[in-house]
Amino acid sequence: MKKSRFLADYGMVLVLLLLCAFFSVVTTKEQWPSGESGAKQVAAAIQEKHGKAARIIIAASTQSGDPEFADALAREFAAAGGKVLAVAKGEPKDARESLVKLSAAGEKVDAVACTRVASTWAVFEDLKTDFPALGTPGVIAPQSYRSPTFLKSDNLLNIANQIAVIAIIAIGMTMVIITGGIDLSVGSVIALSAVISALIIREFGGGVNAGTAAMIGACVAAVIACGLVGTLSGVIITRFAVPPFIATLAFMLIGRGRALTLTDNQSVYQLPDSFVWLGRGADFFGLPNAVTLMLVLYLIAHIVMSRTKLGRYIYAVGGNREAARLSGVPVNRVILFAYVTCSMLAAVGGVIQASLFKSGSPTYGNMYELYVIAAVIVGGTSINGGEGKMFGTFIGAFIIAVIQNGMNLMDVGSNKQMEVLGAVILGAVLLDKFRNRR
C-alpha cells in the first residue's frame, strides 16, 4: 500500500526525471563555451603563453554568445594591462579588413582570439604567409567539451518559459476537471484576452507611448472581460444542465470569432516597448517573470485546494455531486467558480503572450486547450473528476514541455511530435482507468 501510494503521488516525478535523463544522454555532443565563460578560457590561454601584456586581435561572428565573447575578452585584457589592437565582429571580410589595416601599420600581433565559429574562417588559415608584417600570431579559440544540450541553462529556462502559459491555464483546468467538467474555450480566451488588452492600450492608453498604469489597467480589463466567458459557461452548465463539452465548445467558437472580429483579422502592434516586461523580462534571480508568476499561482492554488473549505468542496463535487449537494455544498457556485477561474487564468495567459510578442493577435492560443488538458491528465487528475493535485498538474505540464523540447533538439518533425503527444495522453488516460479499477 505504501508503494502504491508513493507511486500515485510521485510516479510522474519519476517519469519526468527519466525523460530528462534520456534527453540528456541523446543530446550529448561536442560543444564550445561562448560568451563570458569562453572569453575567460581564451584570455587565460593567451596570458599563459604570451603574458598579460599580450597584443591581440579579437574576432567574433554575430551568432548567439559571440558578441558577448568579444566584449568580455576586451574588458578582460584591458583590466590585465594587455592591448586589443582590433575587434572584428561580423563576417570574415570584417576580420580581413582589420588584418590589412594592422599589417599596413606594421603592428605586431601575439595572438588572434576567436570564437569557435570565427576560428574556422579561411582568413586565419595562413596568417604568416598572407600577413607577414604581423609576425607569427596563433589563432586561439575556446576548447571543446562534451555536454548535454538539453541540460544547458538557457535550454532549461527556455522550457520553463515556453510552458508557463500552458501551466498557468492548467491550474484552472485542473479545478474544472476535478469537478467533473471540461473547458474547451481556453485557447480562444487566450486570443481574446491578448486582443482586448492590446486594443485598449492602442485606442485608450496612448499606444506606443502608454504608461505603466494604462498597461496594467488594460490587462486587468482584459482578464475581467474574459472572466465573463467563464461566468456564462458556468451559468449555462449549472442552470440549464448543458454538458460542459457542448457549452465550452460553443464559447470556443464565439471567443475566437469575437477576437477575429475586433481586430478585423489583423494583429495589433502599436504597443510600447516596456509592455514586454511580463513576457520577456527576468527580474527575480534570473527567472523569467512569466515563470515567477507561474510559481506564485501554483503555490496559491495548492493552498486553496489542500488547505481551504473551497478546495474540499471542489473535490466533493467531482467525487459525488449529489452527495455533496445533500451535505450542504453549494454545488452550482463551486462549479461556477471553477469555470470563472479557468477563464481568468486563460486570460492571464493571453496577456503573457501579448507581452511576449508585443502584439495582440486573434490567432494566439490555437490548439492550446489540447495541451492544457494533456498536462492535467498526464499530471494524474482523473478525467472522471474527484481526484487530482496541483503538484501533479505542474509536473504534467513539464513532462509535455520536456518531451516537445527534447524532440526539437533531436530534430524530430512536428508530425511525429503530435503522434508522440497523442500516445502520451492515451497512456495517461489508460493508466488512470487501470488505477481506478484497482
Side-chain angles (χ1 to χ4, degrees):
M1 290 295 293
K2 289 183 179 179
K3 289 182 179 179
S4 298
R5 174 55 60 185
F6 179 83
L7 289 175
D9 291 342
Y10 302 105
M12 287 299 104
V13 177
L14 179 60
V15 171
L16 179 60
L17 293 176
L18 290 174
L19 284 170
C20 290
F22 170 76
F23 286 121
S24 297
V25 171
V26 298
T27 61
T28 297
K29 61 181 181 180
E30 190 174 24
Q31 300 190 47
W32 290 262
S34 61
E36 190 168 346
S37 62
K40 288 183 179 295
Q41 186 189 107
V42 170
I46 294 175
Q47 289 169 358
E48 181 180 353
K49 187 174 182 179
H50 301 285
K52 291 186 177 181
R55 299 160 62 84
I56 68 170
I57 299 172
I58 299 175
S61 71
T62 56
Q63 292 189 14
S64 176
D66 282 15
E68 292 79 4
F69 168 92
D71 295 338
L73 188 58
R75 291 195 302 269
E76 192 88 12
F77 262 85
K83 187 171 184 180
V84 179
L85 300 174
V87 178
K89 296 181 186 177
E91 302 176 0
K93 66 178 183 179
D94 300 308
R96 178 172 291 278
E97 289 177 4
S98 297
L99 292 170
V100 169
K101 289 180 181 178
L102 292 174
S103 180
E107 296 280 3
K108 296 296 182 182
V109 179
D110 294 317
V112 178
C114 299
T115 61
R116 186 258 169 180
V117 174
S119 68
T120 63
W121 290 349
V123 67
F124 298 131
E125 287 182 355
D126 197 355
L127 289 173
K128 185 177 180 180
T129 302
D130 296 339
F131 305 97
L134 298 178
T136 57
V139 177
I140 299 179
Q143 296 297 307
S144 65
Y145 62 95
R146 291 188 64 80
S147 176
T149 303
F150 177 82
L151 290 181
K152 293 179 71 173
S153 58
D154 289 346
N155 186 61
L156 295 178
L157 281 177
N158 183 50
I159 291 174
N161 209 24
Q162 285 182 336
I163 202 59
V165 171
I166 289 174
I168 287 172
I169 303 171
I171 294 173
M173 188 67 76
T174 301
M175 294 181 181
V176 168
I177 292 179
I178 288 177
T179 64
I182 197 80
D183 191 345
L184 300 179
S185 67
V186 291
S188 297
V189 172
I190 290 174
L192 187 60
S193 172
V195 163
I196 291 175
S197 58
L199 282 174
I200 292 176
I201 292 173
R202 187 186 72 180
E203 301 296 333
F204 306 104
V208 294
N209 298 315
T212 302
M215 289 186 287
I216 293 175
C219 295
V220 170
V223 172
I224 293 174
C226 291
L228 294 176
V229 175
T231 302
L232 293 173
S233 296
V235 169
I236 290 173
I237 291 167
T238 56
R239 295 297 182 184
F240 300 97
V242 175
F245 181 90
I246 300 301
T248 57
L249 176 63
F251 280 104
M252 177 181 75
L253 299 174
I254 293 171
R256 185 72 65 181
R258 177 47 50 185
L260 289 166
T261 301
L262 287 173
T263 60
D264 195 23
N265 296 356
Q266 302 296 318
S267 295
V268 181
Y269 293 107
Q270 296 83 353
L271 303 177
D273 292 337
S274 57
F275 187 62
V276 303
W277 176 83
L278 180 58
R280 303 182 194 173
D283 295 337
F284 189 73
F285 295 109
L287 282 177
N289 293 330
V291 175
T292 302
L293 176 60
M294 174 191 71
L295 295 175
V296 171
L297 290 174
Y298 265 93
L299 177 61
I300 295 172
H302 170 72
I303 293 172
V304 169
M305 294 298 289
S306 62
R307 296 289 186 270
T308 68
K309 182 167 64 174
L310 175 60
R312 293 193 294 273
Y313 282 176
I314 291 173
Y315 283 109
V317 170
N320 190 317
R321 186 175 300 186
E322 183 60 19
R325 186 185 65 81
L326 294 174
S327 300
V329 175
V331 174
N332 288 348
R333 279 186 286 170
V334 170
I335 294 174
L336 182 63
F337 170 82
Y339 281 94
V340 171
T341 301
C342 191
S343 285
M344 294 184 76
L345 288 173
V348 171
V351 170
I352 293 173
Q353 288 221 314
S355 174
L356 176 63
F357 299 111
K358 209 176 83 167
S359 65
S361 172
T363 62
Y364 290 166
N366 189 33
M367 298 288 288
Y368 268 48
E369 56 274 354
L370 300 184
Y371 291 107
V372 171
I373 294 171
V376 175
I377 300 303
V378 169
T381 299
S382 175
I383 196 67
N384 297 316
E387 184 180 350
K389 292 183 178 180
M390 286 298 166
F391 178 71
T393 295
F394 180 79
I395 297 299
F398 271 88
I399 287 176
I400 300 297
V402 165
I403 290 174
Q404 288 184 314
N405 178 265
M407 289 192 292
N408 285 334
L409 294 177
M410 294 171 62
D411 294 324
V412 177
S414 59
N415 294 340
K416 185 65 67 176
Q417 289 189 30
M418 292 179 67
E419 294 177 16
V420 172
L421 181 59
V424 169
I425 297 171
L426 183 59
V429 173
L430 291 175
L431 182 62
D432 176 56
K433 293 292 184 181
F434 177 73
R435 186 172 64 244
N436 287 336
R437 285 182 179 179
R438 293 191 62 186

